[in-house]
Amino acid sequence: MYRGREGQWAFLLHRLSGLAILAYLLLHVFSIGSFIFGERFYMVIHETYDLWPFRIGLLFVTAGVVYHAFNGLRIIVMDFTGFGVAYQRQMWYGVLLISVAAFLYSAWTLYPRLVGGY
Amino acid sequence: MIRARTFTDARQQSHSNAELNWWIFMRISGLILVFLILGHIYMTFIQVSESDATFDAVVGKLANPAWKFYDWLILALSLMHGANGARYSIEDYVRSRPNRAWVKGVFYTVIALLFAFGTIGLFSI
């Protein structure tokens, strides 16, 4: 595998987070949309997804979305401005910082609910 | 703009035009989705518990046309954005032409069915 510098890792993480979010999106649309099959069907899926491993998984989905969103903004800045290319490394560390901060914030805020289950 | 004298030229040019349009679409939809999805996560996950998303809560929320439109916009934009992103990956990693054809065929079918399912669900309430 080619191990480039920050740009390569940014690209790889962008792809992986994008595919992971897409996989989550497909499950999410199906599970929420399943209300058209009636309350029983919906609640069976919903109660399964309410188990604690899934609830903690949502934190990682959140961090993945934040990374993908802010790295996407970084890509847009790189595409349309000259300084975006010049400062892409610094911006990537900013993106990582924001993603970690978002993860910690939601983990801190939601900790009792995610573990306690209410 | 397509300025072709033969069918082959037109096909090549329209191909690159479509590619350019998807490139632009990824930037614009991405910019909109940043607000739509971060707002969605904040309102439905950070502020509200997962166990609050019961059948009645979902049906009640979607009875409001504003949420219906908000959610449908997310559904449409994110499925197109995600499908095109996955297409980039498929074209990069599925190397043989026949494999690529059926992988894409199955994948696009799943996306189309899910889009129809979500749209019917949203507007059936």
Side-chain angles (χ1 to χ4, degrees):
Chain A
M1 189 181 130
Y2 169 68
R3 284 185 296 175
R5 298 201 53 187
E6 288 85 350
Q8 174 74 11
W9 292 108
F11 168 82
L12 189 68
L13 267 182
H14 197 73
R15 266 222 164 147
L16 290 177
S17 61
L19 291 173
I21 294 164
L22 180 63
Y24 173 78
L25 175 71
L26 300 183
L27 287 176
H28 183 65
V29 170
F30 181 74
S31 68
I32 298 293
S34 71
F35 70 82
I36 62 176
F37 301 130
E39 182 159 7
R40 246 182 78 81
F41 191 96
Y42 174 89
M43 286 312 282
V44 168
I45 298 180
H46 184 68
E47 275 154 21
T48 312
Y49 284 172
D50 206 27
L51 297 174
W52 70 267
F54 292 105
R55 273 188 269 130
I56 289 175
L58 288 178
L59 286 180
F60 290 92
V61 173
T62 304
V65 168
V66 170
Y67 175 80
H68 198 83
F70 282 93
N71 194 53
L73 294 179
R74 169 180 163 274
I75 292 173
I76 292 173
V77 172
M78 285 195 319
D79 284 336
F80 295 108
T81 69
F83 69 86
V85 179
Y87 290 103
Q88 59 92 9
R89 256 166 26 104
Q90 288 85 338
M91 284 198 294
W92 187 60
Y93 285 113
V95 169
L96 281 185
L97 203 70
I98 293 171
S99 313
V100 171
F103 179 83
L104 292 179
Y105 168 74
S106 34
W108 176 256
T109 316
L110 304 181
Y111 177 75
R113 211 171 76 199
L114 295 180
V115 177
Y118 56 87
Chain B
M1 176 166 56
I2 299 174
R3 234 183 291 158
R5 264 171 297 189
T6 65
F7 178 61
T8 320
D9 285 356
R11 205 169 52 178
Q12 273 175 344
Q13 287 181 24
S14 66
H15 175 74
S16 66
N17 267 348
E19 210 51 73
L20 180 66
N21 289 338
W22 278 115
W23 187 90
I24 296 167
F25 170 78
M26 289 306 263
R27 270 80 192 156
I28 295 174
S29 63
L31 208 55
I32 301 169
L33 282 167
V34 168
F35 297 102
L36 288 180
I37 297 217
L38 291 183
H40 179 72
I41 290 178
Y42 188 74
M43 288 184 283
T44 58
F45 177 54
I46 308 285
Q47 284 189 327
V48 180
S49 165
E50 177 74 2
S51 49
D52 290 341
T54 56
F55 180 83
D56 297 326
V58 169
V59 172
K61 180 197 160 188
L62 292 180
N64 183 343
W67 288 130
K68 225 179 259 195
F69 179 66
Y70 188 103
D71 284 5
W72 186 80
L73 206 59
I74 290 185
L75 179 77
L77 286 178
S78 62
L79 275 181
M80 277 199 279
H81 189 99
N84 191 49
R87 179 178 69 87
Y88 291 155
S89 305
I90 291 172
E91 283 172 358
D92 280 353
Y93 302 121
V94 184
R95 305 305 289 272
S96 92
R97 199 179 260 272
N99 280 352
R100 211 158 50 217
W102 71 257
V103 169
K104 277 186 183 175
V106 170
F107 178 67
Y108 292 157
T109 309
V110 170
I111 296 287
L113 287 177
L114 208 71
F115 178 66
F117 175 75
T119 304
I120 293 168
L122 274 176
F123 293 101
S124 66
I125 295 184

